[in-house]
Amino acid sequence: MNKLKFKQNQILKLNNQTYLPFLIHNLPKKYHTFDTTQILKIKTIIYINTNNFNKKYINKYTSTLNYSNINKNNIK
C-alpha cells in the first residue's frame, strides 16, 4: 500500500511522481489525450501527472494555484 503525500497547495506526491490538482470545471484542454493511468480522482479533485505537461505550464499553474479554492470546493 502506497501512502499519499500532499505537498503545498494540494499537490500530490506518489511513488516519486508529482500530480497537479484540478477541479472538474478547470481541466486542461487536452485532458482527453492523457493516458488514464496518469490520472487519479480523490473525492472531487482530479490529479494529473506532471509528465503530461511541459515545465513552463507546471510553473505557471503552481504559481496560480490557490489552496483555499481547491479546499473549499472539495466535498468532505
Side-chain angles (χ1 to χ4, degrees):
M1 180 103 169
N2 295 321
K3 188 174 183 176
L4 300 175
K5 293 182 182 179
F6 291 97
K7 293 170 38 176
Q8 65 184 10
N9 295 334
Q10 286 285 75
I11 295 173
L12 175 66
K13 185 95 168 171
L14 176 66
N15 296 338
N16 293 328
Q17 297 290 318
T18 304
Y19 293 83
L20 296 176
F22 291 91
L23 294 173
I24 191 76
H25 64 274
N26 71 342
L27 289 171
K29 290 181 181 177
K30 59 181 184 171
Y31 170 76
H32 65 284
T33 63
F34 298 151
D35 184 12
T36 54
T37 60
Q38 301 294 311
I39 301 170
L40 299 170
K41 183 175 183 275
I42 302 173
K43 296 186 181 184
T44 60
I45 301 176
I46 298 167
Y47 293 91
I48 302 175
N49 194 320
T50 55
N51 293 339
N52 294 305
F53 303 105
N54 62 29
K55 196 73 152 166
K56 184 178 177 183
Y57 180 84
I58 294 168
N59 290 337
K60 182 179 177 184
Y61 183 76
T62 55
S63 69
T64 61
L65 189 60
N66 184 354
Y67 172 77
S68 61
N69 186 27
I70 294 284
N71 195 34
K72 138 178 111 171
N73 289 307
N74 193 2
I75 298 173
K76 300 288 181 209

